[in-house]
Amino acid sequence: WRNLMNTLYRLAIGMAGSITFFLLAKPIYVKLSGLRLMPSLCRVGSATLGIYFLQTFLLEILVNRLGVYIPLPWSYAAAPLLAVAELALCYNLVRLIRKSDPASLLILGEKRTDGSSRLSTGMEAISEKRRIQPEQDNRKRPGGSTGESPL
C-alpha cells in the first residue's frame, strides 16, 4: 500500500506540474512575445531535438564516466550553471552538425529543402503563417458586424 500511495502521489504532483505549465505557457508567451529575446529562444527551440540527443551523451555518459561528483551543498549553485553551460555547448554542436548535410540528416533528422543553407524544421512554415494572418478576423458574423445573435 505504501508504495502504491507514493506512486499515486508522485503521479498527482507530476500531473499538477504539467497542467500548470501548459496553462501558463500561452500567457507567458503573449507577455514575452514583444521582447528581443524571443527570436533567440525560438532558434534554441528549433534545435531541441538535437540538444536532447547530444546532452544524453554529454551529461549521462561522458560526465558519469569521468566521475564528476558535486557535493550536495554546492549542487544548488552548480546545477543551474552546469545546465546553462550544457545548453550552450549542445546548441553550438547542433549548429555545427547542421552545416553537414549527411550528419544533419542522420543525427538530427533534418535536410535542406532547396539546396540553400535553410533547413526544413517546420519553424519557417509557422512563422510564415503568422505573418500572413491578419491581426483580427474582419469577416461578417451571422448577426451583422456587431456580433449580435441573428435571433
Side-chain angles (χ1 to χ4, degrees), residues 30-148:
V30 168
K31 287 189 183 243
L32 296 179
S33 62
L35 297 178
R36 291 180 9 188
L37 179 66
M38 286 307 288
S40 298
L41 290 176
C42 287
R43 280 192 299 274
V44 171
S46 70
T48 53
L49 178 64
I51 291 170
Y52 294 145
F53 179 74
L54 293 173
Q55 73 90 25
T56 300
F57 294 105
L58 182 68
L59 187 64
E60 303 296 330
I61 296 172
L62 183 64
V63 173
N64 285 339
R65 291 229 172 124
L66 291 175
V68 175
Y69 174 76
I70 300 170
L72 186 61
W74 293 102
S75 66
Y76 295 107
L81 296 175
L82 181 62
V84 170
E86 183 178 18
L87 173 66
L89 178 64
C90 289
Y91 177 68
N92 285 313
L93 285 173
V94 166
R95 290 179 54 206
L96 185 65
I97 291 170
R98 283 181 172 169
K99 291 182 180 182
S100 167
D101 288 340
S104 181
L105 183 61
L106 291 173
I107 297 172
L108 305 175
E110 298 176 345
K111 64 179 179 177
R112 298 184 196 277
T113 55
D114 58 359
S116 69
S117 63
R118 296 185 61 93
L119 296 167
S120 61
T121 59
M123 290 302 292
E124 293 85 15
I126 293 170
S127 297
E128 185 65 26
K129 184 178 178 184
R130 285 195 182 139
R131 197 173 325 128
I132 292 172
Q133 288 179 341
E135 287 292 310
Q136 290 183 330
D137 188 6
N138 293 327
R139 291 178 290 175
K140 291 207 176 228
R141 295 188 177 109
S145 62
T146 61
E148 304 171 347

Side-chain angles (χ1 to χ4, degrees), residues 17-31:
S18 296
I19 290 170
T20 302
F21 174 79
F22 284 114
L23 289 175
L24 291 176
K26 186 172 182 178
I28 290 172
Y29 175 77
V30 168
K31 287 189 183 243

